[in-house]
Amino acid sequence: MKISKPRGTRDFLPQDTKKRRNVENILRQVVRNWGFNEIITPTFENLELFTLKSGEGIIGELYNFRDKGDREMTLRPELTAPVMRMYVNEMQAYQQPVKLFYFENCFRYERPQKGRFREFWQFGVELIGSTNAEADAEVIALATEMLRSAGIKGDLHVNNLGVIRHLLSVLEPEQQSRIMRLVDKKDDVGLDELLEEIDAPADLRMKLLELICLTGEGAIAKARDLIGNIPEIEAFQELLSILDIYGVEYTIDFGIARGLDYYTGTVFEIYAEGLGAQNQVCGGGSYQLIKLFGGGDVPSTGFGLGFDRIMEVCEIQAPDDIPVVIIAKDSTRTDALKTAIRLRPHMPVYTDLMKRNFKAQLSYANNIGSSHVIIIGEQEVEAGKVTLKNMTTGEQELLSIDEVILELGHKQ
RNA sequence: GCCGGGGUAGGGUAGCGGUUAUCCUGUAGCCCUGUGGAGGCUACGAUUCGAGUUCGAUUCUCGAUCCCGGCCCCA
């Protein structure tokens, strides 16, 4: 009976895993160098954590379950909420800002397609405690640096929601939310209908439709013309000038809304080519969730990177381990094992586990791509040495084990 | 939840209402019992699952399931 893997999950073969771990470690190193500390949160949480953040509607997309103690639980669909919960539970007294990152798997009950799986990995960063433009800029610059380090060309779009919120401030909060969601979806028809339905002032309607189309060079100036010199535009301008210092390339895009109420100001998205319909590899912004989870009035800025999508377009290959194979005869297997024990602190060592004959062992070494083999036969045992054979050149010489370590150890 | 295309040895393909076939790879053995990469031969190994039509289904029909792409959604 053959059991298939669950829908939307993947098996990672050794070479896939090696490549993923390699990229993962590259990203980790970048984030650490920017002063962020890694954390781990539980794979499952109380269901309420996520319904509190995103509403009851998301339950349909969760892997939720009732545990044996009759508690409503769910596999985590994302990590911002768990990190905020963790902060509220145990980190509120930490020196600010608190700079955290995570790399974890998440679970969503969705229909799989290109770049979308039911189990997927997110690499995320949260900077907690600062509303300053410097904080937002650091987070955005870090996101672009991470992608750059993975060899990925991303297209960064930045916005400050304060501008559009300022414009909409005369409307009911509920109407504002609906408008933001439609803007996020770029649903112009729906937006027109809604504005008609709520009978929005003609002036606001005109300005809104114009604003959300503003992108690129000069967008800030045009926004000023449209709305006036409000503090939100000033703040946006400050953020952009810091990004300029970082040398980050960006596109101003007043049409990015990210659809959710808890975003407070800065929002950004990064798209990459070659990913089909799911081309967003990064999304984030500044938000306020800590209060919602029972903490203080503490702001945060963060983003999540879709690690699987990154791997989809990442071409960085992990360096190969170079295995050393010990070849022995039946009569010298004990010596082979003892040699392996001495070599393994210094290099990856394989011994024959298949009772192969001499020739087949050599062939095996060749097939797994070993650069060197160590031959241990009666002659070598008698001499108290081993034969080191270079599989590329075919050269071989009689050496002591220490000499072998000296010869090969530094290459690993 | 919706739409389209698929599922044949471990991987890649072709085929077809009548004992399927082929390439790569793996393992075991042999040509070849202390020196590999080549080649040859032999063996092992698959029609996603279920129901229906049929004398007979891998093929046709229906359903399920999984995969791929798209819609919806995307925290």
Side-chain angles (χ1 to χ4, degrees):
Chain A
M1 173 90 191
K2 197 164 154 181
I3 311 280
S4 60
K5 65 183 183 299
R7 178 151 209 214
T9 63
R10 287 157 296 161
D11 291 320
F12 298 106
L13 298 173
Q15 66 190 82
D16 303 328
T17 305
K18 190 190 278 184
K19 186 179 173 189
R20 286 174 73 93
R21 291 289 192 221
N22 184 243
V23 174
E24 181 187 323
N25 287 331
I26 290 171
L27 296 179
R28 266 206 183 87
Q29 196 54 55
V30 172
V31 180
R32 283 203 198 109
N33 287 352
W34 286 56
F36 288 79
N37 299 296
E38 186 164 14
I39 52 167
I40 298 175
T41 67
T43 304
F44 56 94
E45 295 269 2
N46 287 307
L47 179 65
E48 194 187 6
L49 176 63
F50 300 103
T51 53
L52 202 56
K53 173 173 176 246
S54 311
E56 298 286 325
I58 56 155
I59 292 179
E61 286 154 59
L62 295 179
Y63 270 94
N64 61 316
F65 58 97
R66 196 177 282 276
D67 76 4
K68 291 179 182 177
D70 219 26
R71 291 172 280 249
E72 281 289 355
M73 313 299 290
T74 185
L75 299 182
R76 59 180 169 221
E78 50 107 12
L79 277 122
T80 300
V83 172
M84 292 303 116
R85 177 196 56 69
M86 181 190 215
Y87 174 84
V88 170
N89 290 354
E90 7 211 348
M91 303 182 85
Q92 294 198 70
Y94 275 46
Q95 174 98 58
Q96 295 197 341
V98 174
K99 299 171 72 174
L100 305 173
F101 81 93
Y102 55 82
F103 176 76
E104 300 284 357
N105 52 349
C106 301
F107 307 85
R108 294 183 190 176
Y109 196 90
E110 294 185 291
R111 189 151 191 115
Q113 58 189 70
K114 189 175 177 69
R116 175 182 289 185
F117 305 95
R118 288 185 169 183
E119 183 189 23
F120 60 98
W121 274 258
Q122 277 202 341
F123 203 126
V125 163
E126 312 289 351
L127 191 158
I128 303 169
S130 174
T131 47
N132 295 324
E134 282 82 357
D136 290 0
E138 177 170 302
V139 166
I140 294 173
L142 172 55
T144 61
E145 175 59 19
M146 288 171 75
L147 289 175
R148 200 193 60 76
S149 73
I152 291 166
K153 278 204 162 58
D155 188 12
L156 167 67
H157 286 231
V158 194
N159 188 15
N160 185 322
L161 293 183
V163 180
I164 190 167
R165 290 237 170 89
H166 178 96
L167 189 62
L168 298 176
S169 57
V170 295
L171 301 174
E172 301 291 320
E174 193 266 336
Q175 294 175 342
Q176 292 187 33
S177 294
R178 286 171 67 190
I179 290 174
M180 295 300 274
R181 265 191 290 275
L182 291 168
V183 171
D184 184 46
K185 284 183 209 167
K186 313 228 180 290
D187 181 355
D188 296 338
V189 177
L191 186 57
D192 267 340
E193 286 170 4
L194 178 60
L195 289 170
E196 192 67 40
E197 180 194 323
I198 64 175
D199 198 25
D203 178 55
L204 183 153
R205 214 181 289 193
M206 184 272 292
K207 284 180 175 171
L208 175 65
L209 294 177
E210 205 164 318
L211 179 69
I212 60 175
C213 294
L214 288 183
T215 65
E217 297 270 327
I220 289 278
K222 284 183 207 155
R224 272 204 191 97
D225 291 345
L226 209 56
I227 304 177
N229 210 5
I230 58 173
E232 288 83 356
I233 293 182
E234 284 311 301
F236 194 11
Q237 179 64 65
E238 189 188 358
L239 171 76
L240 297 175
S241 53
I242 302 173
L243 288 180
D244 288 334
I245 296 170
Y246 275 112
V248 171
E249 284 180 35
Y250 54 81
T251 301
I252 298 164
D253 187 344
F254 283 101
I256 292 189
R258 291 196 68 70
L260 288 156
D261 292 339
Y262 54 76
Y263 283 101
T264 51
T266 302
V267 288
F268 65 100
E269 298 182 344
I270 304 177
Y271 317 97
E273 284 182 15
L275 284 168
Q278 314 294 327
N279 68 339
Q280 189 185 321
V281 292
C282 178
S286 57
Y287 58 89
Q288 171 54 274
L289 276 172
I290 287 168
K291 213 171 181 177
L292 187 62
F293 297 146
D297 194 359
V298 183
S300 333
T301 303
F303 64 81
L305 280 176
F307 187 72
D308 303 284
R309 293 179 189 173
I310 286 175
M311 291 311 297
E312 191 87 13
V313 288
C314 175
E315 287 171 0
I316 297 175
Q317 291 299 329
D320 281 324
D321 299 326
I322 302 156
V324 173
V325 179
I326 297 182
I327 293 175
K329 302 190 67 185
D330 278 341
S331 58
T332 59
R333 285 185 188 276
T334 306
D335 303 279
L337 280 187
K338 286 179 178 164
T339 307
I341 290 166
R342 287 193 53 193
L343 290 176
R344 280 187 172 139
H346 307 279
M347 63 195 79
V349 174
Y350 291 58
T351 62
D352 175 48
L353 303 174
M354 303 298 289
K355 296 240 183 281
R356 290 189 167 102
N357 63 33
F358 190 92
K359 190 183 179 72
Q361 289 182 48
L362 202 49
S363 175
Y364 171 74
N366 190 59
N367 288 339
I368 66 168
S370 69
S371 64
H372 292 79
V373 299
I374 288 166
I375 297 170
I376 302 178
E378 282 114 10
Q379 298 154 26
E380 286 82 4
V381 172
E382 233 167 83
K385 296 198 169 184
V386 300
T387 295
L388 177 67
K389 177 183 174 78
N390 182 321
M391 293 294 276
T392 314
T393 64
E395 287 165 11
Q396 52 188 62
E397 56 183 327
L398 201 60
L399 297 173
S400 72
I401 291 176
D402 287 332
E403 286 168 331
V404 170
I405 292 169
L406 221 53
E407 179 80 11
L408 298 182
H410 68 278
K411 293 180 183 164
Q412 300 300 325

